[in-house]
């Protein structure tokens, strides 16, 4: 589809700007730094499934979900070991503020396009000296929290997720290819062991224009 320049005709600059920001947040337009605002290429929304049933015995739940949709799921990551936990993260992990953690920042891609961001925090004391201390390194790289924890004898029994809508920050917008302040869903997720101990917490950011979030709730009979 041709990409054309959008220009105002007979209306104020502020009105045009607000209209463009709204259309960008909805995925109709896309902004290009130093160039202008253009009609976005058609992009089908990706279905992001949140379900315990999607935890894989081996491999990544995200990659499995993308494969089911006929898409190539990949991610880029950066891990920093021994990062002091901020107050909110410490409270979610049940540790004192400043406790050392392993922090990993992810950018998830579907067919090469960003669809999700995540920042994961794991208590360093839990994994120090083990083969899973680096989530994306070693023999269990990319296996997901549940499988990695199982490798050191920790059974993950459940996860708690708290989703809420908000506007994207400038950094998130840049990484996701959306307008600053576009709508995203922010999910605070925490995994717990069968002893009730938090073993990982993450902030997941999903752009509303590019993804739809579906929760599957298993029913035990």
């Amino acid at each position: 589809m041709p990409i054309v320049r959008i220009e105002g005709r007979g209306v104020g600059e502020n009105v045009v700007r607000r209209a463009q920001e709204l259309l960008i947040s909805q995925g109709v337009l896309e902004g290009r730094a130093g160039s202008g605002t253009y009609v976005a290429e058609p992009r089908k929304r990706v279905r992001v499934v949140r379900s315990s049933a999607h935890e894989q015995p081996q491999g990544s739940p995200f990659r499995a979900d993308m494969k089911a949709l006929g898409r190539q799921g990949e991610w880029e990551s950066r891990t920093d070991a021994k990062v002091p936990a901020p107050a909110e993260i410490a409270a979610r992990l049940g540790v004192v503020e400043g406790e050392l953690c392993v922090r990993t920042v992810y950018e998830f891609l579907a067919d090469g396009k960003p669809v999700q961001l995540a920042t994961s925090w794991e208590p360093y004391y839990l994994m120090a000296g083990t083969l899973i201390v680096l989530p994306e390194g070693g023999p269990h790289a990319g296996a997901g929290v549940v499988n990695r924890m199982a490798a050191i004898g920790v059974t993950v029994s459940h996860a708690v997720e708290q989703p809420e809508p908000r506007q994207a920050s400038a950094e998130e917008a840049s990484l996701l290819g959306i307008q600053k302040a576009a709508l995203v869903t922010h999910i605070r997720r925490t995994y717990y062991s069968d002893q009730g101990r938090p073993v990982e917490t993450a902030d997941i950011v999903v752009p509303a224009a590019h993804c739809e979030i579906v929760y599957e709730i298993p029913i035990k009979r």
Side-chain angles (χ1 to χ4, degrees):
M1 135 177 236
I3 300 179
V4 297
R5 181 70 178 269
I6 306 298
E7 298 179 347
R9 289 290 186 270
V11 294
E13 181 179 345
N14 289 338
V15 174
V16 172
R17 178 175 54 81
R18 286 196 296 270
Q20 289 177 344
E21 290 177 351
L22 175 61
L23 291 172
I24 289 173
S25 70
Q26 296 174 342
V28 178
L29 303 181
E30 61 181 20
R32 299 183 181 179
S35 179
T37 306
Y38 298 80
V39 175
E41 296 182 10
R43 183 173 175 179
K44 186 178 180 180
R45 295 177 80 199
V46 174
R47 170 169 286 199
V48 178
V49 179
R50 315 294 301 171
S51 172
S52 60
H54 283 239
E55 295 289 349
Q56 302 295 307
Q58 294 181 349
S60 161
F62 175 78
R63 184 172 285 154
D65 284 346
M66 293 302 102
K67 183 177 180 180
L69 295 173
R71 294 172 178 259
Q72 181 70 27
E74 298 291 345
W75 61 87
E76 299 174 357
S77 66
R78 183 186 75 252
T79 296
D80 298 303
K82 298 184 179 182
V83 178
E88 181 190 353
I89 297 300
R92 285 157 57 177
L93 287 175
V95 299
V96 299
E97 183 178 354
E99 179 87 23
L100 295 181
C101 292
V102 177
R103 180 184 65 193
T104 305
V105 179
Y106 293 90
E107 181 179 356
F108 292 92
L109 311 170
D111 293 339
K113 295 183 179 180
V115 293
Q116 180 176 302
L117 305 175
T119 301
S120 168
W121 298 79
E122 299 175 337
Y124 180 74
Y125 77 85
L126 185 62
M127 302 170 298
T130 73
L131 294 176
I132 69 162
V133 66
L134 299 178
E136 299 300 321
H140 303 285
V145 175
V146 175
N147 296 315
R148 287 176 51 249
M149 291 297 167
I152 61 170
V154 176
T155 300
V156 176
S157 63
H158 67 286
V160 174
E161 294 194 350
Q162 178 185 347
E164 62 180 24
R166 65 168 173 81
Q167 294 179 317
S169 68
E171 181 180 7
E172 291 166 345
S174 177
L175 290 171
L176 290 169
I178 58 178
Q179 178 72 19
K180 179 182 177 182
L183 291 177
V184 298
T185 301
H186 178 186
I187 303 172
R188 293 177 177 86
R189 181 200 67 202
T190 303
Y191 279 110
Y192 292 85
S193 73
D194 56 357
Q195 298 178 346
R197 177 177 58 182
V199 297
E200 188 263 6
T201 193
D203 290 284
I204 302 167
V205 178
V206 180
H210 298 163
C211 301
E212 61 181 15
I213 300 175
V214 177
Y215 279 85
E216 289 186 357
I217 302 173
I219 299 175
K220 295 182 179 180
R221 298 186 182 276

